[in-house]
Amino acid sequence: MSAKDYLEKDYYSILGVSKDVDDATLKKKYRKLARELHPDTNKEKNAEEKFKEVSEAYDVLSDPKKRAEYDQIRTYGASAGGFGGFDPRNMGNTQGFNINLDDVLGGFNLGDLFGGNNRRQRSRRGSDLETEVTISFNDCLEGTTLPITLRGETTCSVCKGTGAKPGTTPKKCASCNGTGQTMRNAGGFGFADTCSTCYGSGRIVEQKDPNCKGTGIVNETRTITARIPAGIKNSSKLRLKGKGEPGERGGEAGDLIVHVFVKNDEIFERDQDNVRITIPVRYDEAVFGSQIAIPVPTGTTVTLKIPANTQNGRIFRVKNEGMPKATGGKGDLLVKVEVVVPQNIQGKAKELLEEYAKEVTHDNPRAEIIALNARRKR
Ligand SMILES: [Zn+2]
Ligand SMILES: [Zn+2]
């Protein structure tokens, strides 16, 4: 601190207080600014510079003797007596002022305030992991059990993540007294640094676990078994509790989220809990009615009774032959009939159909829509 600084800098306005500010207000104002500007939390470009300025101002104004000198110099100039044998050779030393961290933080734990060392000691829940599987329509119908292979970092099972050789325990780091952080005093400001002895863990492992080389973490492939419930819908997400990344320091494991896709089937189409199928029927089957065997998802057939005069496209419902429901029971099989035309009619069938055609020439199936359309044209 120098008389030059005293002359040039308005510490009152830097702290945003009036000249007659009392100690309590001054302290309160300073703490607020220091928290806002502390370089550990404020990443703005000028934050550190401002923080220093504010701290310097507080250093002077909070000390009654320095404050009196400052007020004198600001009022009467550098020649004023109060500065106590001011020597220009001392100028430029702005590193000397001292901040009482307790003043800044008012008894708060630095780690609490700036998100530092306390968080390190807290347990952390493991992250959720995501993976995807594709199952067949059949597996969906019955439900299935799938092995899911996951590769990644997990807690070393030999040392339970401590990194210490089995039978030994890590020691508290002496450099940081187990906090994982050391305080550095730079230009009179306290900065929390990660302890360089223990790299922030707060512990020193003397005998490393050979399994994880002392890291407490291993990279491994693990296979877990996922039970896929019957009737699961395409693109649904299954959450397997506790099958994700392991937690840290006793935190619970994350979940494994399995994105399940269900493949389409060649003949059946999924429709929520129901299953749809299109069944070809002959013209005569539709006209006279018939009993036909139709496939069902279980791989067998059931008999469907088609009544006489069934129109093309009609849908029949076969109860309980659909997908299993989450609530129990099953959906239905919805059977759509599609009247098919012979590809290559020949012989007797052809003769008889020609005969038939002669009988129905006057029967125009388009008469109705032509009549409807004619009403449009006036
Ligand atoms: Zn280990
Ligand atoms: Zn340490």
Side-chain angles (χ1 to χ4, degrees):
M1 210 71 50
S2 68
K4 189 167 172 283
D5 285 334
Y6 276 19
L7 278 171
E8 286 175 355
K9 294 177 182 171
D10 186 346
Y11 292 145
Y12 293 102
S13 72
I14 286 171
L15 290 169
V17 294
S18 63
K19 291 218 160 49
D20 55 0
V21 66
D22 61 86
D23 283 355
T25 311
L26 184 72
K27 189 181 259 188
K28 213 171 122 191
K29 195 81 194 183
Y30 171 54
R31 278 187 196 158
K32 186 173 174 287
L33 285 170
R35 277 172 215 177
E36 284 169 9
L37 295 168
H38 195 287
D40 277 4
T41 49
N42 192 322
K43 300 300 175 205
E44 277 170 43
K45 241 171 63 189
N46 301 324
E48 183 159 353
E49 204 50 50
K50 280 186 187 161
F51 180 76
K52 284 183 181 173
E53 227 174 56
V54 160
S55 300
E56 183 185 321
Y58 181 69
D59 182 59
V60 172
L61 298 185
S62 62
D63 181 322
K65 195 166 161 257
K66 286 188 195 169
R67 185 169 169 179
E69 283 174 355
Y70 175 72
D71 288 344
Q72 255 186 321
I73 287 172
R74 292 283 291 180
T75 312
Y76 304 109
S79 60
F83 206 69
F86 165 67
D87 182 338
R89 282 172 298 185
N90 286 339
M91 279 180 69
N93 175 19
T94 55
Q95 304 295 306
F97 60 93
N98 216 2
I99 305 172
N100 180 348
L101 262 178
D102 273 349
D103 275 356
V104 183
L105 306 166
F108 280 100
N109 179 300
L110 187 69
D112 271 352
L113 196 61
F114 296 128
N117 59 15
N118 258 26
R119 182 179 301 168
R120 188 191 55 77
Q121 285 155 355
R122 239 172 273 143
S123 66
R124 191 182 70 86
R125 183 183 178 274
S127 310
D128 289 343
L129 295 176
E130 279 196 52
T131 187
E132 55 176 67
V133 295
T134 302
I135 62 167
S136 69
F137 180 84
N138 257 6
D139 283 343
C140 178
L141 209 60
E142 287 165 25
T144 185
T145 309
L146 287 180
I148 295 177
T149 301
L150 299 164
R151 191 173 164 73
E153 287 189 343
T154 74
T155 306
C156 172
S157 58
V158 175
C159 63
K160 307 276 184 292
T162 64
K165 192 176 170 182
T168 71
T169 40
K171 236 179 47 175
K172 187 156 97 176
C173 174
S175 306
C176 60
N177 198 29
T179 62
Q181 288 188 336
T182 46
M183 294 306 296
R184 171 169 53 98
N185 230 26
F189 311 102
F191 292 92
D193 283 333
T194 301
C195 174
S196 59
T197 309
C198 63
Y199 304 106
S201 72
R203 297 163 315 171
I204 300 289
V205 174
E206 287 179 315
Q207 285 178 278
K208 289 176 179 174
D209 171 19
N211 188 50
C212 60
K213 298 181 183 68
T215 59
I217 294 166
V218 287
N219 219 329
E220 64 173 23
T221 303
R222 61 196 168 110
T223 302
I224 61 148
T225 303
R227 169 95 205 127
I228 314 284
I232 192 165
K233 297 199 167 56
N234 184 36
S235 195
S236 27
K237 283 178 177 174
L238 271 186
R239 182 177 282 268
L240 304 184
K241 240 186 139 22
K243 301 285 190 186
E245 217 174 65
E248 281 174 26
R249 292 174 294 280
E252 66 174 329
D255 300 337
L256 174 65
I257 293 151
V258 186
H259 203 162
V260 183
F261 296 96
V262 183
K263 264 192 257 177
N264 285 328
D265 187 73
E266 285 169 89
I267 53 176
F268 296 108
E269 189 193 331
R270 177 84 177 269
D271 181 2
Q272 304 293 329
D273 290 329
N274 297 329
V275 171
R276 292 181 180 274
I277 188 172
T278 299
I279 290 292
V281 296
R282 289 198 316 269
Y283 177 76
D284 57 293
E285 288 173 328
V287 173
F288 299 129
S290 58
Q291 298 209 358
I292 58 172
I294 57 155
V296 291
T298 50
T300 54
T301 58
V302 295
T303 302
L304 178 70
K305 194 163 177 278
I306 306 253
N309 308 317
T310 289
Q311 297 298 311
N312 184 47
R314 184 167 166 188
I315 292 168
F316 295 91
R317 182 180 293 264
V318 183
K319 287 251 175 226
N320 301 319
E321 291 289 352
M323 274 288 166
K325 293 181 188 176
T327 51
K330 275 172 145 191
D332 301 332
L333 177 65
L334 303 173
V335 185
K336 183 179 180 182
V337 300
E338 186 181 63
V339 176
V340 290
V341 173
Q343 301 262 6
N344 185 16
I345 193 165
Q346 283 180 331
K348 184 91 189 234
K350 191 184 178 193
E351 280 169 36
L352 288 172
L353 194 61
E354 280 165 351
E355 199 80 357
Y356 164 81
K358 278 177 207 155
E359 291 301 315
V360 296
T361 39
H362 58 277
D363 183 7
N364 186 349
R366 295 160 297 277
E368 193 181 347
I369 58 164
I370 285 166
L372 279 171
N373 190 46
R375 289 197 306 197
R376 209 193 308 271
K377 187 180 155 198
R378 293 198 187 276

